[in-house]
Amino acid sequence: MTRRLLLGHLSLILLVLLALEVPFGLFYARSELSRFSHTAEQGATTLAEVCEDKMEHGLTADLPELAVGYGQRTGGTVLVADRRGVVLTDTAAPAMVGKDLSAEPDISSALHGRPAVGTRGAPPADGEFLFVTVPGGSNAAVACVVRTVYALGPLKARVHTTWLVLAAAGLGVIAVTSLIGFAFARSITRPVQALERATAQLAEGRITDPPATDHGPPELRRLAASFTRTATRLQHLLQAQQAFASDVSHQLKTPLTSLRLRLENFEPHLAPCAQDSLDKALGELERLSRMVQGLLALARLENTEIRAEAADLNTVVADRADIWTAFADEQQVDIIVSEGTSVQVLAVPGALEQIIDNLLSNALRVSAPGTAVTMAVVTTPAQGTRTPPMAELHVIDQGPGMTEAERHRAFDRFWRAPHADHDGTGLGLPLVRHLTRAGGGEVTLEAAPGGGLDAVVRLRHAECRTRQDRLVTTADVDSAAPSAPAR
């Protein structure tokens, strides 16, 4: 963020500098050339008037000395021709004296009373030159022509120096504004970075470095103060919730166990007609105990953390199917496991076992004798860069199934299907969803072909691990679901 702010600030300054310095440099170069040309033309005109006067008085012999002196004073070369275009003197090339230059464009133009000003190139060692050719006299009686030539190297060097000064000034401005911009950007981003660190710490459960409320702009100070108050309150609430879960786990187990013992002690003293009521009371007490354990497991699962790890899904499926086979045989239900290749998926330690146990428990509860529960592992390929490859675990029963509305509500806590005739607590599927999402996956209920329910658990492949893996504790996972039945 600091770099982006600084880059935006420098881009604006650079744009302003370019908009100011480039036009100024171009204007300076043109004005210097124009001024130099105007001065040279004025000097040449004055020299032409003097040469005309000399020639009118018959002092043509003074022209070479006059031309040399003018050239030395102005730093140029001087050529003087008579009214026919014949060279009378040339300070640059004395051998040109006596040659007819009337055919040259600038000389011809001056002989007709029109001054000529322009530039012409020379070999690279000599550079570019400015020439000024003016007539001496009126258009009707041009007595002589004067051509002055000046090297443009010194002028260009002066212009180049000016460009270097402008560039240096621009770099100085950019350096100063960079320091100012960096300090300004840091004053904004430092509080934001502090808030980012505090947010990451809050996500991990506790803020050890709260953001300062006396640095940065007023808006960020107020934001830091509000965040600190909110984070402190959230920590208190989380601590209170964790304390409540811990207290309940200790305080409820003992009374429930004591109540169960007292009810069982009544059994020898009850009349046979009251035995059915006692059995129902013990059943409800057992259901209450499982509900308390499930609630405590969910509360701890939401408040604690551990990183997901790779696990072989097919191996776990085969192991849990073998464990549940004896219980399924008692209900005359077959457990069918579809063969598949080994698939490594991401899951918190112990989560796969608890997920499969809950899904198998639910499937066996609704399965009629003579039916089967099928478990299959299917791998789905990646869809683009945003959807990684997934492994799907299907647990399919042949029970009564659910409507679409019931399948959506099945993951609500304590919800039970209207036609359910078992003593479930309504916490198994919510627990499955929490455990699945802990590894970055998802679980859904779909209608199975031919009736029944298809519980689909989608898990990420182990090679798709990212830094954003959700976290839960092993202890909570181990106590989160009903135990598998004994053989």
Side-chain angles (χ1 to χ4, degrees):
M1 185 176 180
T2 302
R3 289 196 300 270
R4 288 194 294 270
L5 288 175
L6 186 58
L7 182 61
H9 179 71
L10 292 181
S11 299
L12 180 61
I13 296 299
L14 182 61
L15 181 63
V16 172
L17 287 175
L18 291 176
L20 292 177
E21 291 191 349
V22 171
F24 175 79
L26 294 175
F27 173 78
Y28 175 79
R30 286 195 298 268
S31 63
E32 282 294 296
L33 180 60
S34 176
R35 185 183 63 81
F36 187 72
S37 300
H38 182 68
T39 302
E41 185 176 2
Q42 285 184 335
T45 301
T46 302
L47 178 61
E49 292 176 353
V50 173
C51 290
E52 179 189 11
D53 184 67
K54 291 284 187 180
M55 293 178 68
E56 287 180 355
H57 291 82
L59 301 176
T60 305
D62 295 341
L63 293 181
E65 183 180 359
L66 179 65
V68 171
Y70 182 84
Q72 291 176 348
R73 290 195 305 270
T74 60
T77 62
V78 179
L79 180 148
V80 180
D82 60 14
R83 65 185 61 187
R84 296 187 306 273
V86 177
V87 177
L88 298 177
T89 182
D90 187 353
T91 60
M96 293 292 294
V97 175
K99 291 188 176 182
D100 185 4
L101 301 181
S102 60
E104 293 191 7
D106 60 321
I107 299 293
S108 176
S109 178
L111 290 175
H112 290 82
R114 296 188 301 272
V117 180
T119 58
R120 61 186 177 189
D126 298 330
E128 193 175 8
F129 292 86
L130 171 73
F131 66 88
V132 178
T133 306
V134 296
S138 62
N139 187 23
V142 174
C144 63
V145 173
V146 175
R147 174 200 282 171
T148 56
V149 180
Y150 301 94
L152 292 178
L155 176 64
K156 289 188 174 183
R158 220 166 37 246
V159 172
H160 183 68
T161 302
T162 302
W163 278 110
L164 291 178
V165 171
L166 290 175
L171 291 176
V173 171
I174 290 177
V176 173
T177 54
S178 296
L179 295 176
I180 297 175
F182 180 76
F184 174 74
R186 289 292 294 167
S187 68
I188 295 177
T189 58
R190 188 182 293 111
V192 175
Q193 291 172 350
L195 283 171
E196 182 183 7
R197 289 193 300 271
T199 303
Q201 293 173 3
L202 180 61
E204 295 175 358
R206 184 174 183 81
I207 294 181
T208 57
D209 184 19
T213 58
D214 55 351
H215 294 92
E219 296 82 359
L220 290 179
R221 296 181 186 179
R222 292 193 294 268
L223 177 60
S226 300
F227 174 84
T228 302
R229 289 195 301 269
T230 303
T232 302
R233 181 166 178 79
L234 283 176
Q235 288 187 61
H236 289 327
L237 292 175
L238 289 174
Q239 291 171 359
Q241 184 178 0
Q242 293 172 358
F244 171 77
S246 178
D247 293 342
V248 168
S249 65
H250 290 86
Q251 298 300 325
L252 288 183
K253 288 182 180 179
T254 300
L256 289 175
T257 303
S258 177
L259 181 59
R260 181 182 181 86
L261 291 176
R262 289 179 181 274
L263 289 177
E264 290 177 347
N265 289 335
F266 285 148
E267 187 173 4
H269 307 288
L270 291 179
C273 61
Q275 186 65 41
D276 185 59
S277 297
L278 178 62
D279 291 339
K280 290 182 178 179
L282 289 174
E284 289 297 321
L285 182 61
E286 180 65 23
R287 180 170 175 270
L288 179 60
S289 297
R290 293 199 307 272
M291 186 180 297
V292 169
Q293 292 177 1
L295 284 173
L296 292 175
L298 283 174
R300 293 172 181 172
L301 187 63
E302 293 170 349
N303 293 324
T304 49
E305 54 189 31
I306 192 172
R307 202 168 284 279
E309 298 178 357
D312 192 321
L313 179 58
N314 295 79
T315 301
V316 177
V317 168
D319 178 68
R320 302 320 294 171
D322 186 53
I323 294 293
W324 281 84
T325 297
F327 181 74
D329 290 341
E330 293 178 1
Q331 298 185 238
Q332 300 179 13
V333 177
D334 293 330
I335 297 180
I336 302 174
V337 179
S338 298
E339 296 293 334
T341 57
S342 177
V343 179
Q344 294 288 325
V345 297
L346 286 177
V348 297
L352 287 179
E353 291 83 352
Q354 305 303 330
I355 291 172
I356 296 173
D357 287 347
N358 274 283
L359 295 179
L360 279 177
S361 176
N362 289 343
L364 291 174
R365 283 175 181 170
V366 298
S367 297
T371 61
V373 175
T374 303
M375 292 195 296
V377 176
V378 179
T379 300
T380 61
Q383 299 177 359
T385 57
R386 295 187 177 182
T387 305
M390 304 288 286
E392 293 184 354
L393 167 63
H394 294 259
V395 180
I396 307 171
D397 63 60
Q398 298 176 352
M402 292 182 179
T403 65
E404 184 176 356
E406 290 173 346
R407 293 198 299 271
H408 284 296
R409 291 206 57 196
F411 294 99
D412 295 342
R413 295 184 182 183
F414 306 114
W415 184 86
R416 299 171 65 193
H419 51 74
D421 57 355
H422 53 78
D423 59 349
T425 62
L427 293 174
L429 287 177
L431 188 59
V432 169
R433 169 171 281 182
H434 275 290
L435 292 171
T436 304
R437 289 180 173 176
E442 189 55 79
V443 58
T444 58
L445 298 180
E446 301 175 2
L453 201 63
D454 181 6
V456 183
V457 181
R458 296 179 177 86
L459 298 168
R460 292 185 301 161
H461 281 249
E463 61 268 18
C464 300
R465 180 190 298 273
T466 65
R467 295 181 180 180
Q468 286 77 28
D469 290 336
R470 285 193 54 190
L471 307 171
V472 292
T473 59
T474 306
D476 295 328
V477 172
D478 292 340
S479 63
S483 301
R487 289 182 179 271

